Amino acid sequence: MGRIKQKGKAGAAKAYITRSSAVKKLQCSLADFRRLCILKGIFPREPKNRKKANKGSSAPTSFYYTKDIAYLAHEPVLKKLREHKAFAKKLSRALGRGEWSSAKSLEENKPVYRLDHIIKERYPTFIDALRDIDDALCMAFLFASLPSGQRLPPELIENCARLSAEWQLYIMHSQSLRKAFLSIKGVYYQAEVMDQTITWLVPYQFTQSIPSDVDVRVMLTFLELYQTLLGFVFFKLYTDVGLVYPPPLDVKKLEAAAGVGAFSLQEASSTSTNPVSKRKTVEVDGRKISGKDVRQTIKSITASLEDAEIDTPQNDRPSPLEMTHEEDFVPHPSANSAGADTSLPTLKMLETLPVPISTSLFAPYTFFLSRETSRSIFEFLIRSFGGKVGWPASSGNGSPVEEEDLSITHVVIDRPIASLRNETAEEKERRSRRKYIQPQWIVDCINSGKILLEDPYTQGETLPPHLSPFGEYEGAYNPIAGPIGSHVEPEREGSEEEDAEEEEETMMEEEGPETKGHHLKQVLEDATLDPSALRTAELAAEAAGMDYDAFEKELSKLGKKRTKKEQVHGGEAEEDMNKMMMSNKKRKLYEKMKHSQKKKESERSVLEAKKRAILARGEQETKKTSG
């Protein structure tokens, strides 16, 4: 006899737990439960049968895995939250009684929790943490641009600004930036750090306001986790390149709006400064061995190896060419392969591969930013690609290049051309040496990977379209493409005869059935369907006065047209049969995919029609002006 199953004690009712039951089991408030779920990465689940999971009830509620809630019960952060709740009660009691000394001691011993262990649990390796910092960077840059107030303390904004500056410093130092895009939301950046592609968004420097309908507490909980994560990641990145973390900050430069220039990068010293480590001794077999003894032993071993190399005859040593030849990888074809040459890439081959984007794109140039351009954005872009940049004193302190410097090659300006009346000869000569460009030129050069011509981007010119470098869907509308119809369609390549046949067919249709013989066309179509009716079609064509060559041409044209129709109908029938074999879920997904494809095609056709109309209008205006 099998074990008797009790209702609500097995299956979905046991695997899932409602939110109210989870809060009651953990003995915490709803706000603390939300915070724990965000920090630990636990989110609601959707059971297959909500009624079974809710023990027969159909009331709407959120479900969680029972194992996840049991995992939360042993969380150290939950223990600290309970201690903080008791601390708040004691503090309010002490303040109510006027016990100021006890209240001060309670405030000094306030329970504080740390999230280091959560970072180590959620990200076992450094690459896992590096892959997940996109949202963390977006959140840090967002809060760095927000104003401080009651809901956002100034210390939080300063910490986010510091993390943002540290990330920009590392990207500029390592020259890891690859793409940038100026959008309506802000500036999208994409960098490549340790073979990982990282994309983040930086808002523009406008006056920001927090909407009243936004739950800031949830965002602050995410930000609390992200700040700890970024601290771990930045420490690893800085130490790997031999830099001190955190980078030293000059408070005077920061107060003078120096921005990223207020931080200075310092190389970490390789020698240890701890005197205790130098005097450390280890006892081995009853004998004390110090670090000095270990170093002397290593030196003696190295000297003995060098003496042995000297004693070795010169002829017995392998030549460098032989050594490199032995180190090369020699591929051996597999017995299963059919003689295919499968050469695996070696380290030498990978080193000889070209770098896709030049990281020193702006190295030969010196830029000067006008006061109306965003200094933080373009300083970061230019310095990330090896360029030198300066700005006026009104944009901040710490500019390495003055406006009168003769080494300036480009001036980034974003205002219309003004008439210069009282310009001296020196200013005219200086202006002739420099190139005045609009800010979009810098971003387009980075995305294209080369220095573009400055003529379309000069001051006062209408800029070319600024396209996203992050890749659109295949077949998307490209505004910088050639005129529509200038390229050859793939299905019409080398089909001049078919074009002529279609023109003849349209001419026959326009001339009407009286002149060209509607009955003859019907007979020819019957001949393509039934080969026995071919003799009848020949007689009808001879009676109508059609020569044999025209008859053969018309017959082949009708046959091709019929074959195309059959292929189209056959493809539709095959597609319908495939849809019948799909499950309901897959069929709906397929229909959604086809609907989205048709929607994209219609959007592209609308944009192409607009472009066609604009080009036609421009041609008419040029004809009027020329006439």
Side-chain angles (χ1 to χ4, degrees):
M1 181 177 177
R3 186 176 179 181
I4 300 174
K5 294 183 179 180
Q6 297 181 359
K7 187 177 181 180
K9 296 294 181 70
K14 187 178 180 182
Y16 295 94
I17 186 173
T18 61
R19 189 180 68 178
S20 57
S21 302
V23 172
K24 187 177 180 180
K25 184 175 182 180
L26 295 176
Q27 297 181 5
C28 63
S29 62
L30 182 59
D32 291 342
F33 176 73
R34 286 176 177 171
R35 179 179 293 182
L36 282 172
C37 290
I38 291 173
L39 295 177
K40 298 291 289 184
I42 296 172
F43 49 91
R45 306 285 181 165
E46 184 64 26
K48 292 183 179 179
N49 194 327
R50 296 180 64 89
K51 195 171 183 180
K52 288 183 179 180
N54 208 7
K55 300 179 182 179
S57 176
S58 58
T61 183
S62 300
F63 294 94
Y64 293 85
Y65 281 144
T66 308
K67 289 185 177 180
D68 290 343
I69 303 305
Y71 179 58
L72 282 181
H74 305 283
E75 175 57 38
V77 177
L78 179 60
K79 182 181 178 182
K80 288 291 183 181
L81 292 176
R82 290 170 180 166
E83 292 178 2
H84 189 275
K85 188 177 181 180
F87 155 77
K89 288 182 179 180
K90 292 178 182 178
L91 184 62
S92 61
R93 188 184 302 116
L95 292 175
R97 293 177 179 177
E99 300 173 354
W100 311 114
S101 60
S102 60
K104 185 179 179 181
S105 63
L106 283 172
E107 183 66 28
E108 291 175 354
N109 298 322
K110 179 180 178 180
V112 179
Y113 62 85
R114 297 178 63 86
L115 304 179
D116 298 351
H117 65 285
I118 295 180
I119 300 298
K120 294 176 183 177
E121 288 174 3
R122 295 186 64 172
Y123 307 105
T125 62
F126 177 68
I127 297 298
D128 295 332
L130 199 61
R131 288 172 184 162
D132 204 29
I133 66 169
D134 294 357
D135 293 337
L137 290 172
C138 292
M139 190 75 76
F141 278 96
L142 172 64
F143 275 86
S145 62
L146 293 178
S148 59
Q150 295 181 354
R151 294 191 287 179
L152 298 178
E155 296 80 10
L156 181 69
I157 305 300
E158 291 176 2
N159 190 31
C160 291
R162 180 185 60 82
L163 291 173
S164 304
E166 289 173 358
W167 173 252
Q168 288 184 336
L169 279 172
Y170 175 77
I171 294 298
M172 289 187 294
H173 177 76
S174 60
Q175 296 184 348
S176 304
L177 191 65
R178 295 294 177 265
K179 296 177 183 178
F181 178 59
L182 305 174
S183 71
I184 299 175
K185 296 180 181 179
V187 185
Y188 284 91
Y189 298 103
Q190 190 175 91
E192 193 172 317
V193 180
M194 298 182 69
D195 294 334
Q196 300 299 321
T197 303
I198 301 169
T199 308
W200 72 97
L201 173 65
V202 179
Y204 293 115
Q205 291 180 331
F206 297 136
T207 303
Q208 306 288 344
S209 60
I210 304 173
S212 58
D213 57 344
V214 174
D215 194 353
V216 184
R217 294 180 300 171
V218 176
M219 298 181 68
L220 288 176
T221 306
F222 276 105
L223 183 64
E224 186 180 7
L225 177 68
Y226 289 155
Q227 284 178 333
T228 310
L229 172 63
L230 292 177
F232 274 91
V233 173
F234 292 171
F235 176 79
K236 173 68 173 174
L237 291 176
Y238 271 71
T239 52
D240 283 351
V241 295
L243 297 176
V244 175
Y245 185 81
L249 172 64
D250 192 344
V251 182
K252 292 183 179 180
K253 288 185 178 181
L254 186 64
E255 293 176 353
V260 184
F263 295 85
S264 59
L265 297 176
Q266 294 183 0
E267 293 185 0
S269 58
S270 58
T271 57
S272 177
T273 58
N274 189 7
V276 179
S277 60
K278 294 182 179 179
R279 296 195 303 265
K280 187 175 180 180
T281 58
V282 180
E283 188 172 353
V284 179
D285 297 333
R287 180 187 174 189
K288 292 183 179 181
I289 300 175
S290 61
K292 186 177 180 181
D293 299 334
V294 174
R295 286 192 293 271
Q296 288 180 353
T297 307
I298 293 173
K299 286 181 180 179
S300 61
I301 294 173
T302 307
S304 62
L305 290 174
E306 290 177 355
D307 295 339
E309 289 180 359
I310 292 172
D311 295 339
T312 305
Q314 190 71 21
N315 297 332
D316 295 343
R317 294 184 184 179
S319 63
L321 293 174
E322 294 176 358
M323 293 174 65
T324 55
H325 180 70
E326 291 177 359
E327 291 175 358
D328 288 340
F329 176 76
V330 180
H332 294 280
S334 175
N336 299 328
S337 63
D341 186 14
T342 56
S343 59
L344 298 176
T346 61
L347 181 60
K348 293 182 179 180
M349 294 169 61
L350 294 175
E351 289 177 352
T352 56
L353 289 177
V355 181
I357 296 178
S358 176
T359 56
S360 58
L361 191 66
F362 299 137
Y365 308 108
T366 303
F367 296 83
F368 188 82
L369 305 176
S370 300
R371 64 178 184 273
E372 72 276 0
T373 57
S374 178
R375 175 203 151 190
S376 60
I377 295 174
F378 294 100
E379 180 190 2
F380 173 62
L381 291 173
I382 294 169
R383 290 181 59 185
S384 297
F385 285 86
K388 194 175 181 181
V389 59
W391 54 87
S394 58
S395 300
N397 193 11
S399 175
V401 179
E402 297 296 332
E403 188 174 1
E404 294 79 12
D405 198 331
L406 298 177
S407 63
I408 295 176
T409 57
H410 294 78
V411 177
V412 184
I413 191 167
D414 198 13
R415 58 176 180 264
I417 300 174
S419 59
L420 301 174
R421 299 177 181 176
N422 301 324
E423 191 176 14
T424 62
E426 184 182 355
E427 291 176 349
K428 286 183 180 180
E429 184 183 359
R430 189 171 60 198
R431 178 178 286 273
S432 62
R433 289 180 179 178
R434 300 174 180 177
K435 294 181 179 180
Y436 291 80
I437 55 172
Q438 299 187 49
Q440 185 182 325
W441 181 80
I442 296 174
V443 186
D444 287 350
C445 287
I446 291 172
N447 295 334
S448 60
K450 60 183 179 180
I451 299 297
L452 302 175
L453 293 175
E454 292 89 351
D455 296 338
Y457 299 90
T458 53
Q459 184 182 3
E461 291 289 332
T462 302
L463 294 171
H466 181 56
L467 305 179
S468 172
F470 298 108
E472 296 289 341
Y473 60 91
E474 186 177 356
Y477 172 71
N478 187 5
I480 63 173
I484 300 171
S486 61
H487 63 280
V488 180
E489 297 290 338
E491 61 268 11
R492 299 178 61 88
E493 290 180 356
S495 58
E496 297 177 357
E497 296 180 358
E498 295 180 5
D499 293 340
E501 292 171 0
E502 289 179 1
E503 290 178 1
E504 290 179 4
E505 182 181 353
T506 54
M507 290 175 62
M508 289 176 65
E509 291 177 356
E510 290 174 358
E511 289 173 356
E514 291 87 10
T515 56
K516 288 295 180 182
H518 183 70
H519 179 68
L520 177 60
K521 188 176 181 180
Q522 187 66 34
V523 171
L524 291 174
E525 289 180 357
D526 294 340
T528 56
L529 295 172
D530 188 8
S532 60
L534 182 61
R535 179 61 181 168
T536 308
E538 290 178 355
L539 294 174
E542 186 178 356
M546 181 183 294
D547 58 349
Y548 188 75
D549 294 336
F551 171 76
E552 289 286 341
K553 191 176 182 180
E554 186 70 20
L555 197 65
S556 63
K557 182 180 66 174
L558 292 175
K560 290 179 181 179
K561 190 175 180 181
R562 177 174 164 270
T563 306
K564 287 181 180 179
K565 288 183 178 179
E566 289 179 353
Q567 288 177 356
V568 170
H569 290 299
E572 293 178 355
E574 185 179 358
E575 184 178 353
D576 293 339
M577 289 293 293
N578 292 335
K579 288 172 65 176
M580 289 174 60
M581 298 297 293
M582 293 180 184
S583 62
N584 190 22
K585 184 177 180 181
K586 291 183 179 180
R587 184 170 60 253
K588 288 181 179 179
L589 182 63
Y590 177 75
E591 290 175 354
K592 286 182 180 179
M593 182 181 68
K594 298 296 286 185
H595 174 72
S596 63
Q597 289 178 356
K598 290 180 181 178
K599 187 177 179 181
K600 291 175 181 178
E601 289 176 359
S602 63
E603 291 176 355
R604 178 182 177 180
S605 62
V606 169
L607 292 173
E608 287 179 349
K610 288 182 179 179
K611 183 177 181 180
R612 197 182 299 112
I614 292 171
L615 292 175
R617 197 182 306 120
E619 290 177 358
Q620 291 177 0
E621 291 178 356
T622 52
K623 286 180 181 179
K624 288 180 180 179
T625 54
S626 62

